[in-house]
Amino acid sequence: MRKQLNSYNSSSLEKNFLYKCIGSVLGACTNREVVRKELQELLTGAHYQDEAEREGLSVAFGICSAHHLEDTLDKMSDFLKSDFMKKYTGIFNLFKDRADVDLEKIKSALILCYGYVAVYAPIELVLPRVESDILRNVFLYFHTKDLTLKLCLIRTVSMIGLAICSSPQAGFFHFSRKSELISQLMEFLKLEAVDGQKSALRHRALAACSYLVKLEPPLKDAEKTELVSTALSSIIPLPPVSIGAMGELHQEILYRDTLDALKDLLKGLLCWNITPNGLEEMFGVLIPWIRSSKEHERERALELSSALLHFYLHKLNVNCVVTFHNLGLLIGRLSPRCSDSLASIRQHTLDCIYYLLYIQLRYEGFAPDHKDEQVEKLQTLRSGLLNPDSSVLFHTCFDIAMIIGKRLPPEQLTSLLFITFEGLSDSDANCSRAATVMINSLLKDRGTILLSKVPEIILRVKEQLEETSEEHVRKAAVQTMYILATQHVKAVVSSLLSSPVPYDSDMCTLWGALSSDPPLTSEVLNLLLEKMTGDVPYKECKTSLLSSASSRVATLLPLTATCALREVMSQPKSSPAVQELYPQLFVALLLQVSCMVGVQLPKNLGPTKDRKSQSSRNLDPCSSAVEALHFMLVQGGSEAVALSVAADGGWEKMKKEETHHMGVTSLSSSMVRYSGPKLPDIIKKLQSAQNSAYDSQRVTATAFLAQLLQSSELSDLIFLEPLMDSMTSRLKDSSVTVRMLAIRGLGNIASGHPEKVRKHGSHLLTAMMNAMDDREDPDHIVTQEAMSNMSLLLPHVQEKDLHSLLVHTAIRIRPFFDHEREELRTSSIILFGNLTKFSSGDDGEETLFEQILNGLVTLLLHLQDPKPDVVKACKFALQMCAPSLNNQGLADMFTSHLHPDRGLHYGEFMNNVCKNLLQGYPDMIPRLIQTNISYFKSIWSDLRAAAPLFIGFLVLHMQPDQCRMVDLDQLVTSLMVLLKDPVPSVRIKASETMGRLVKFA
């Protein structure tokens, strides 16, 4: 029979059959020597180039091994070491490429022989020799590049694996080289190009692995992950196969066979661990492919996922109630694909969700044949997933989400939401929007049970915003925040407030999400107001351990709440809620501004994790509060107020401690002008703030209310008396600024409500006088304000109310004529001038005349004051005094020469004044000279020069009998000192006066 082999070289089928016959005969032969001899002849005489002959030879050896296993294996091993192999290589040594090819063919045939031996030989005899005899030789040829040899190696491994798996002893056989074999097969897969499938290598390698993975021992987790990852990476990226021509049909069949082999491999691996963890391991490798940017890759991954879940469901055998702890995780990863661009992917996704929900029901204890009404509804949604219209798809996604929500255990909801959040950044915009639909529908339906998870949900939303700048993702985040806030507004606000300030753009987006619904926004604003006002606005902290100095540092929670208010109210949609809470917001923010003036940032501004671009924004506590107040006015319908304050520089003034009250005054004036009807409620709240423990808040409240008294437009809206009482009550405040502002407020009544001055004149004047006597006013701020405002009140008071205060007032203000501060000099001199209006009638002239004479020299000298405003004040006062001097000459001079806006020839003017003084008041010569001498030491050189000039003109116009009234020695001594003055003009005036003293000789 062997000799007839060459007769069938042209007929491969007949020759293959003949090989089988030879193998059968050898198997039946009892003479071992004959068997060994014939096997040797078969090996040396075979035409290895012919694939059919290699196959026939291998089958013959396999059939023979059924009765002569040991002889067959020995002969094969000997042949590999024989001279024939060496000779065969040597013959073609001159043709190396051909030698390599032919030798690989021989190896391929021998490797295939081992595979058929494993199939035909008795398995109980094969198992002990698999690793020692068969695989030992097989492993010698894995490092080859020849495709034929690779395919034979893979077939041999498959036959070995299949033979073992089919054996009754398979469960007891420990295949120690299993992992090594699988690794070799994986190397073959890795070397295959992914630009196309040109051979059956992938299919056969995966099929071989599917047999091997069923054998003991199970693969380690790392080995299993590597196997799945390599298998998927070898198949899923292959280019899509189109059905058409014959060659393409062949490719399609080959691809389907390969994909089926991959499914079998994955199912075989899953069989080792039919548990939620085993399922998660599989999907851990599949998920990147499910989220691939390429449609055909996603489609293949979802088809595999569906097959795995279907297999899992039918293999699942639940003996006790088990928690399917990762159900939410798996559904969350798959569900966004319900709106994928490919209809087939959408269908596979629905299948996956369907299987997962039934797996959950099985774990809950339901029978395998149980049909759930809600889950079965998924099947009715298939038509919706076939429709490419996005609106239909999203509506179907909503329905799917509602079914999921009804069947998902409560403890799984959080994991489902968290993993679905990752879908917001999906590369497929439709899937991203589907994730949005899923999240929001689940929140609406089940969000009430998520109170404890609010901080985590917000963190996930923010992470998604940080990962992408896509507009639809931001819209999704806004919608999610809105839904969550409608259910857990306190938790949402508290969680957002825990974020570090200054808020980045993502946090601003989340705060802005709370501004779209008026009822919700009102609730949010109220909560933020509570947070802002519920703690101390700042704390006193030492600047250093070695210093006793301290600084004010903002308290974190009120600061963050202020920033949050700013963000919420910066949104135009917040307008209705802001208008509803207008008085509360206005007062709280205004007082917060007052407390933040000059306050430093705390060192810890909140959690530092994931803070980005914070250094680009310089957070200032006061500026944040001012901005919040500005937005509050704009959204509250008072934009004109905000613009008016800005035009006046009021916002900037508010930020500085020395000008803060001026900014508040500007705000108060603008409110009267543009938002008067809103003031009554504001006034009530600010009156309460006048009793605040914080000086800054009392300053702000008093400044605002004081300015209101200047307006006559509020007569129909407010009661004046309570405001007057508020100002009066602040006259004993511990803060100098508050007392000053209270005096200003009382003085403003003269402008806004002059009729009230006449009614309450005595009370108002007494308040001014008491303020001038303020002993805790070292810088005379209150005194100056009292003098300025008393001048405003005087035109409207009754004389009887002022009569008893005239002299005391005149005496009290006289020292300020020469004060270093220009404002004090100006205010006191103007008030003095106004007081002289009341010197006529009854006892007025006698009462005040003496005070006018006492102040006359000072006023005349200050006409040379270096400050123009003081000069104007002196001109005004002298004109006011003129009628009371009973000296028509002086009166005419004061009236004609002391025009406020004209210059004055001082020497000529004083020459005439002195002439009239000597004529009208000769007895005053000593007093006039003595008062002038006192100004020789004035801090102003112009006054030091004017004083000797004044004396010189007095001496010039003295009559001989009047000279006796002058203390010449004192005068000369004083002038001698003045001659040493550092200022030349002073020395000149002193010398001129000294020259005029000759008339005393």
Side-chain angles (χ1 to χ4, degrees):
M1 292 173 67
R2 174 175 54 77
K3 293 178 179 179
Q4 299 298 317
L5 285 171
N6 290 330
S7 303
Y8 296 93
N9 287 336
S10 60
S11 181
S12 58
L13 288 176
E14 287 82 351
K15 193 171 186 178
N16 191 282
F17 177 74
L18 184 56
Y19 266 116
K20 290 181 180 179
C21 293
I22 295 171
S24 299
V25 172
L26 289 174
C29 179
T30 58
N31 190 329
R32 295 178 63 186
E33 287 300 324
V34 172
V35 171
R36 293 172 68 88
K37 179 182 177 183
E38 289 301 322
L39 289 175
Q40 177 67 26
E41 291 297 331
L42 287 173
L43 289 171
T44 56
H47 296 283
Y48 290 101
Q49 302 291 356
D50 184 4
E51 182 179 357
E53 187 153 347
R54 293 197 303 271
E55 185 74 20
L57 177 66
S58 303
V59 172
F61 268 73
I63 295 172
C64 179
S65 69
H67 299 282
H68 302 286
L69 175 61
E70 184 175 354
D71 291 331
T72 303
L73 290 175
D74 289 345
K75 181 51 62 181
M76 291 164 59
S77 180
D78 291 343
F79 184 74
L80 288 171
K81 302 173 185 175
S82 67
D83 293 337
F84 178 84
M85 292 289 288
K86 298 175 183 176
K87 180 181 178 182
Y88 196 90
T89 305
I91 292 173
F92 296 101
N93 197 35
L94 296 175
F95 309 98
K96 188 174 187 306
D97 291 340
R98 182 178 174 187
D100 288 344
V101 171
D102 290 344
L103 187 58
E104 296 301 304
K105 296 295 187 293
I106 298 172
K107 292 177 182 177
S108 298
L110 289 172
I111 292 299
L112 208 54
C113 288
Y114 281 113
Y116 278 106
V117 167
V119 171
Y120 283 101
I123 192 63
E124 65 274 9
L125 298 177
V126 171
L127 289 179
R129 308 190 68 165
V130 165
E131 295 182 311
S132 60
D133 293 322
I134 298 177
L135 288 179
R136 178 172 56 82
N137 290 313
V138 169
F139 270 113
L140 296 174
Y141 304 111
F142 267 109
H143 302 291
T144 181
K145 297 180 181 179
D146 184 75
L147 178 61
T148 302
L149 181 53
K150 284 183 180 180
L151 290 172
C152 290
L153 283 164
I154 293 170
R155 283 186 63 196
T156 297
V157 172
S158 291
M159 287 187 278
I160 293 170
L162 180 59
I164 298 173
C165 287
S166 304
S167 166
Q169 294 86 18
F172 306 100
F173 179 70
H174 187 86
F175 198 178
S176 61
R177 305 197 74 173
K178 166 184 168 179
S179 297
E180 192 175 353
L181 270 178
I182 291 175
S183 295
Q184 293 292 348
L185 294 174
M186 289 303 98
E187 289 302 317
F188 285 168
L189 286 177
K190 290 177 183 178
L191 292 173
E192 287 292 285
V194 293
D195 57 352
Q197 192 169 3
K198 299 173 182 177
S199 71
L201 186 144
R202 285 186 176 88
H203 170 220
R204 293 182 179 178
L206 292 173
C209 287
S210 67
Y211 295 131
L212 293 174
V213 296
K214 297 175 183 178
L215 303 175
E216 292 282 357
L219 294 174
K220 297 177 182 178
D221 289 343
E223 293 172 339
K224 190 189 303 182
T225 302
E226 174 66 16
L227 172 57
V228 175
S229 179
T230 302
L232 294 178
S233 299
S234 175
I235 308 304
I236 293 181
L238 289 172
V241 179
S242 58
I243 301 175
M246 189 65 188
E248 291 175 343
L249 179 60
H250 171 74
Q251 285 292 315
E252 171 67 15
I253 294 172
L254 180 58
Y255 167 72
R256 294 311 312 177
D257 290 343
T258 305
L259 190 62
D260 288 341
L262 177 57
K263 290 178 183 177
D264 290 339
L265 171 60
L266 297 179
K267 291 173 184 177
L269 288 168
L270 190 57
C271 267
W272 285 100
N273 193 9
I274 301 290
T275 66
N277 287 335
L279 205 54
E280 189 172 341
E281 287 175 3
M282 285 292 176
F283 275 90
V285 186
L286 276 167
I287 287 301
W289 297 107
I290 290 174
R291 298 191 65 180
S292 169
S293 60
K294 298 177 180 178
E295 288 182 339
H296 69 280
E297 292 182 352
R298 297 199 303 273
E299 183 181 25
R300 292 166 181 173
L302 263 300
E303 183 180 344
L304 290 169
S305 300
S306 176
L308 275 177
L309 290 170
H310 182 265
F311 174 78
Y312 187 97
L313 176 61
H314 286 82
K315 282 288 183 179
L316 185 61
N317 183 20
V318 180
N319 297 319
C320 60
V321 177
V322 176
T323 301
F324 190 8
H325 64 87
N326 47 7
L327 172 64
L329 189 70
L330 294 171
I331 291 180
R333 285 173 170 169
L334 294 167
S335 57
R337 304 257 75 83
C338 284
S339 65
D340 197 282
S341 54
L342 276 184
S344 58
I345 294 178
R346 301 196 290 269
Q347 296 295 320
H348 287 313
T349 303
L350 186 67
D351 289 336
C352 290
I353 295 172
Y354 178 83
Y355 296 141
L356 282 168
L357 291 180
Y358 265 117
I359 291 170
Q360 167 63 24
L361 290 170
R362 291 289 306 281
Y363 276 123
E364 289 178 2
F366 288 92
D369 59 350
H370 171 73
K371 295 296 181 183
D372 183 86
E373 181 182 353
Q374 290 294 331
V375 179
E376 288 300 320
K377 285 182 181 179
L378 289 172
Q379 301 294 359
T380 66
L381 301 176
R382 288 191 178 278
S383 59
L385 294 180
L386 291 172
N387 195 321
D389 187 285
S390 59
S391 61
V392 175
L393 283 178
F394 295 148
H395 186 270
T396 307
C397 287
F398 175 81
D399 292 337
I400 293 172
M402 297 305 290
I403 293 172
I404 292 171
K406 287 180 172 61
R407 279 289 162 261
L408 195 74
E411 65 274 10
Q412 296 277 331
L413 183 59
T414 305
S415 59
L416 171 59
L417 283 173
F418 286 175
I419 201 66
T420 310
F421 277 128
E422 295 180 7
L424 294 176
S425 57
D426 197 288
S427 57
D428 188 320
N430 271 351
C431 291
S432 177
R433 293 188 179 96
T436 302
V437 172
M438 296 279 184
I439 291 168
N440 292 338
S441 58
L442 287 169
L443 284 175
K444 286 179 181 178
D445 189 46
R446 304 284 295 279
T448 52
I449 65 175
L450 294 172
L451 177 59
S452 63
K453 300 296 181 180
V454 167
E456 293 178 63
I457 294 174
I458 291 176
L459 179 61
R460 293 299 179 98
V461 174
K462 189 172 186 298
E463 287 174 350
Q464 290 304 309
L465 286 175
E466 290 172 349
E467 289 177 9
T468 179
S469 59
E470 295 291 336
E471 185 60 27
H472 69 270
V473 175
R474 304 192 79 80
K475 289 181 179 178
V478 167
Q479 184 68 9
T480 300
M481 286 302 301
Y482 166 72
I483 295 171
L484 198 61
T486 58
Q487 298 166 330
H488 309 291
V489 63
K490 289 185 179 180
V492 168
V493 169
S494 296
S495 181
L496 290 175
L497 285 174
S498 67
S499 298
V501 288
Y503 295 130
D504 56 27
S505 60
D506 297 331
M507 279 305 301
C508 293
T509 297
L510 297 185
W511 278 116
L514 307 182
S515 66
S516 58
D517 180 50
L520 173 63
T521 307
S522 295
E523 199 170 355
V524 170
L525 292 176
N526 270 317
L527 287 170
L528 290 175
L529 284 177
E530 289 177 13
K531 300 291 185 182
M532 187 178 74
T533 59
D535 197 357
V536 293
Y538 59 82
K539 295 178 180 178
E540 298 283 347
C541 298
K542 284 189 175 182
T543 55
S544 68
L545 294 174
L546 301 177
S547 172
S548 60
S550 63
S551 60
R552 290 178 296 169
V553 177
T555 309
L556 184 58
L557 183 57
L559 173 63
T560 55
T562 304
C563 294
L565 281 167
R566 178 201 178 281
E567 298 306 329
V568 174
M569 293 189 296
S570 67
Q571 304 298 315
K573 291 181 180 179
S574 68
S575 181
V578 173
Q579 292 183 29
E580 178 187 345
L581 299 172
Y582 193 102
Q584 300 95 305
L585 287 167
F586 182 92
V587 173
L589 287 170
L590 180 59
L591 295 178
Q592 181 69 4
V593 170
S594 70
C595 288
M596 292 297 101
V597 176
V599 172
Q600 298 177 4
L601 282 175
K603 292 181 179 179
N604 179 18
L605 291 174
T608 56
K609 183 182 177 181
D610 295 333
R611 293 184 66 187
K612 59 180 184 179
S613 304
Q614 298 294 345
S615 58
S616 62
R617 289 181 60 190
N618 295 321
L619 177 64
D620 174 60
C622 189
S623 294
S624 297
V626 167
E627 289 172 9
L629 179 58
H630 177 273
F631 281 121
M632 177 264 145
L633 290 171
V634 173
Q635 308 305 345
S638 300
E639 186 173 3
V641 174
L643 292 173
S644 175
V645 174
D648 191 40
W651 297 123
E652 292 303 315
K653 291 176 183 176
M654 279 189 205
K655 299 177 187 178
K656 300 175 183 177
E657 193 165 1
E658 59 274 13
T659 59
H660 172 75
H661 64 276
M662 299 179 189
V664 175
T665 298
S666 174
L667 175 62
S668 181
S669 299
S670 300
M671 285 294 293
V672 170
R673 191 177 307 122
Y674 300 108
S675 296
K678 299 182 184 294
L679 284 170
D681 291 335
I682 292 173
I683 291 171
K684 292 177 183 177
K685 296 181 181 299
L686 282 176
Q687 283 178 316
S688 300
Q690 285 188 295
N691 297 314
S692 170
Y694 297 99
D695 288 359
S696 56
Q697 291 189 346
R698 298 198 307 277
V699 167
T700 299
T702 306
F704 190 92
L705 296 174
Q707 185 61 24
L708 296 180
L709 289 167
Q710 193 178 50
S711 173
S712 59
E713 302 170 21
L714 299 179
S715 301
D716 297 333
L717 296 173
I718 63 173
F719 293 105
L720 185 65
E721 278 72 13
L723 275 182
M724 287 179 58
D725 293 341
S726 295
M727 295 299 109
T728 304
S729 67
R730 291 298 101 202
L731 292 177
K732 295 182 180 180
D733 196 281
S734 59
S735 168
V736 172
T737 307
V738 173
R739 298 198 299 273
M740 178 271 290
L741 291 168
I743 287 295
R744 181 177 297 177
L746 293 174
N748 284 341
I749 298 174
S751 302
H753 311 275
E755 73 284 358
K756 297 292 184 180
V757 177
R758 187 169 183 83
K759 179 179 178 181
H760 302 284
S762 177
H763 169 72
L764 294 172
L765 291 174
T766 300
M768 299 298 158
M769 281 303 304
N770 291 337
M772 291 183 204
D773 292 330
D774 194 330
R775 296 181 180 180
E776 297 180 3
D777 182 23
D779 296 324
H780 305 293
I781 296 172
V782 179
T783 302
Q784 178 196 331
E785 196 67 34
M787 290 188 296
S788 298
N789 284 282
M790 192 169 185
S791 292
L792 299 175
L793 294 171
L794 287 177
H796 308 290
V797 300
Q798 300 182 61
E799 290 191 21
K800 64 177 183 178
D801 294 331
L802 180 62
H803 182 73
S804 61
L805 301 174
L806 270 176
V807 175
H808 179 74
T809 304
I811 293 173
R812 180 69 184 87
I813 65 176
R814 272 284 308 282
F816 295 106
F817 288 4
D818 297 308
H819 199 276
E820 293 182 6
R821 282 179 51 206
E822 171 192 356
E823 297 85 357
L824 281 168
R825 300 201 300 278
T826 303
S827 300
S828 59
I829 291 171
I830 290 175
L831 176 57
F832 187 79
N834 285 316
L835 288 173
T836 60
K837 296 177 185 178
F838 297 87
S839 62
S840 61
D842 296 339
D843 300 327
E845 186 173 350
E846 180 181 348
T847 303
L848 201 58
F849 178 70
E850 192 66 24
Q851 295 305 319
I852 293 174
L853 290 180
N854 288 339
L856 191 59
V857 172
T858 299
L859 294 176
L860 288 169
L861 290 176
H862 274 285
L863 288 172
Q864 291 294 88
D865 195 282
K867 299 298 181 181
D869 286 345
V870 178
V871 174
K872 287 184 179 180
C874 290
K875 290 180 178 180
F876 167 77
L878 289 169
Q879 287 182 334
M880 292 298 101
C881 293
S884 303
L885 289 173
N886 298 322
N887 188 319
Q888 191 59 42
L890 278 177
D892 291 343
M893 287 199 62
F894 289 170
T895 302
S896 60
H897 289 81
L898 298 180
H899 191 280
D901 298 320
R902 293 179 186 170
L904 177 68
H905 192 292
Y906 188 68
E908 181 180 338
F909 174 76
M910 289 303 298
N911 182 34
N912 293 323
V913 166
C914 289
K915 185 188 300 183
N916 285 287
L917 279 173
L918 291 175
Q919 290 175 358
Y921 313 106
D923 296 336
M924 283 186 60
I925 291 176
R927 189 195 304 183
L928 293 172
I929 292 178
Q930 190 61 40
T931 304
N932 273 293
I933 289 175
S934 67
Y935 278 92
F936 284 7
K937 297 179 181 180
S938 172
I939 60 174
W940 298 288
S941 60
D942 291 334
L943 267 68
R944 295 202 303 275
L949 176 69
F950 197 149
I951 294 174
F953 284 126
L954 287 174
V955 171
L956 178 65
H957 296 292
M958 282 183 191
Q959 299 301 318
D961 58 330
Q962 294 175 326
C963 293
R964 298 193 305 273
M965 301 172 67
V966 178
D967 186 346
L968 188 59
D969 291 338
Q970 181 192 12
L971 178 58
V972 171
T973 302
S974 299
L975 286 170
M976 292 295 292
V977 173
L978 204 59
L979 286 172
K980 299 177 182 179
D981 194 276
V983 180
S985 59
V986 176
R987 298 197 298 272
I988 291 171
K989 298 300 180 185
S991 63
E992 290 176 354
T993 301
M994 188 74 81
R996 289 198 173 105
L997 295 180
V998 296
K999 70 185 300 180
F1000 289 97

